[in-house]
Amino acid sequence: MPEAFDAGVYFIGRIRTPFKSRRECPKNTAESEAVGRVELDPRFAAGLLDLERFSHLWLLYWMHQARRDLVQQVPAHLGRPRGTFALRSPVRPNPIAMAAVELIGVTGTTLEVRKVDCLDGTPLIDVKPYFASTDSFPDAKRP
Amino acid sequence: MPEAFDAGVYFIGRIRTPFKSRRECPKNTAESEAVGRVELDPRFAAGLLDLERFSHLWLLYWMHQARRDLVQQVPAHLGRPRGTFALRSPVRPNPIAMAAVELIGVTGTTLEVRKVDCLDGTPLIDVKPYFASTDSFPDAKRP
């Protein structure tokens, strides 16, 4: 790994989910209908203006329990190594995950969302609106 | 803003694009057919195994020229303030962008991709495969 970090990240809130251990977490958001809460640090409250007008959001979060030094991993379903950048595994040089979730509602600085897959208490680093125009590729191919 | 960072990010490469100033950048990837190159730090080369088998990728990058302290902004097309978390603006507490791009090819540690929108030289922080199952919501609604 490089000797030093190049930039710093603020944790701007926490994601509350029903999953108290990594073993309980769904494999990914496609396999989850679980409802969770995003608890945003109140100092950023004004940043939510108009967010309730979107049906889907991206949550970016920091997978604080994941190691960062593996460039290849063996997914159980594959049985042979695959490169970290060809996987959505939490283990990667910068352990940032992105999850598209359905927005149920906004109350103060709490967002209620559906399709969460992460560990309860996961640090939040960003919320972005989902744009079908830039984000949706239904015909994207994978092996 | 908080007093200290909570975690550190490594820059793992650079994105090369035709855009030498922010003024030249397309508004977003939907308005770009530009071809760019992702130059990954060779220390992470083994992380690319199998990546060429995906048609689309997510690039996560660090918008190093963006300020981080605005919770509301006035987009030109809107003419009134909107919350930072309801915008895809580079200006946000953690200036991380995500862009879905088409993968043209992989040569060594260089990825050729289509639909880039960022500034030439933008620091790369992650590459992930695009999964239609978790990432594609063609019917997502926006105001």
Side-chain angles (χ1 to χ4, degrees), chain A residues 27-80:
Chain A
K27 195 157 169 293
N28 56 53
T29 54
E31 299 183 12
S32 174
E33 287 297 318
V35 170
R37 289 194 321 279
V38 178
E39 296 176 348
L40 184 70
D41 182 333
R43 76 174 77 216
F44 300 111
L48 296 178
L49 180 63
D50 281 352
L51 190 71
E52 76 286 350
R53 303 178 63 185
F54 292 84
S55 66
H56 292 68
L57 307 178
W58 287 106
L59 304 180
L60 271 67
Y61 44 92
W62 191 265
M63 293 171 290
H64 56 306
Q65 295 193 4
R67 53 188 291 188
R68 303 173 66 161
D69 59 343
L70 295 182
V71 288
Q72 295 191 345
Q73 300 163 60
V74 181
H77 70 279
L78 203 63
R80 63 172 184 79

Side-chain angles (χ1 to χ4, degrees), chain A residues 124-140:
Chain A
L124 178 73
I125 58 174
D126 203 3
V127 175
K128 298 180 191 290
Y130 186 99
F131 289 173
S133 56
T134 56
D135 303 336
S136 182
F137 294 90
D139 300 327

Side-chain angles (χ1 to χ4, degrees), chain A residues 1-12 28-31 40-41 43-51 53-58 60 62-63 68 71-72 78 80-89 92-102 115 124-143, chain B residues 1-12 28-31 40-41 43-51 53-58 60 62-63 68 71-72 78 80-89 92-102 115 124-143:
Chain A
M1 300 302 289
E3 279 175 28
F5 294 125
D6 296 294
V9 161
Y10 300 115
F11 294 168
I12 64 169
N28 56 53
T29 54
E31 299 183 12
L40 184 70
D41 182 333
R43 76 174 77 216
F44 300 111
L48 296 178
L49 180 63
D50 281 352
L51 190 71
R53 303 178 63 185
F54 292 84
S55 66
H56 292 68
L57 307 178
W58 287 106
L60 271 67
W62 191 265
M63 293 171 290
R68 303 173 66 161
V71 288
Q72 295 191 345
L78 203 63
R80 63 172 184 79
R82 177 163 277 177
T84 287
F85 302 118
L87 294 168
R88 293 288 276 262
S89 159
R92 48 208 320 118
N94 294 304
I96 297 168
M98 27 176 280
V101 296
E102 299 172 18
K115 295 184 87 59
L124 178 73
I125 58 174
D126 203 3
V127 175
K128 298 180 191 290
Y130 186 99
F131 289 173
S133 56
T134 56
D135 303 336
S136 182
F137 294 90
D139 300 327
K141 287 178 184 52
R142 57 192 280 191
Chain B
M1 301 301 289
E3 280 175 29
F5 294 125
D6 296 294
V9 161
Y10 300 115
F11 294 168
I12 63 169
N28 56 53
T29 53
E31 299 182 11
L40 184 70
D41 182 333
R43 76 173 77 216
F44 299 111
L48 297 177
L49 180 64
D50 281 352
L51 190 71
R53 303 178 63 185
F54 293 85
S55 66
H56 292 68
L57 306 178
W58 287 106
L60 271 67
W62 191 266
M63 294 171 290
R68 302 174 66 162
V71 288
Q72 294 191 346
L78 203 64
R80 61 172 187 78
R82 177 162 277 178
T84 287
F85 302 118
L87 293 168
R88 292 288 277 261
S89 160
R92 48 209 319 118
N94 294 305
I96 297 169
M98 28 176 281
V101 296
E102 299 171 18
K115 296 183 87 58
L124 178 74
I125 58 174
D126 204 3
V127 175
K128 297 180 193 289
Y130 186 100
F131 289 173
S133 56
T134 56
D135 302 336
S136 183
F137 294 91
D139 301 326
K141 286 179 184 52
R142 57 192 279 191

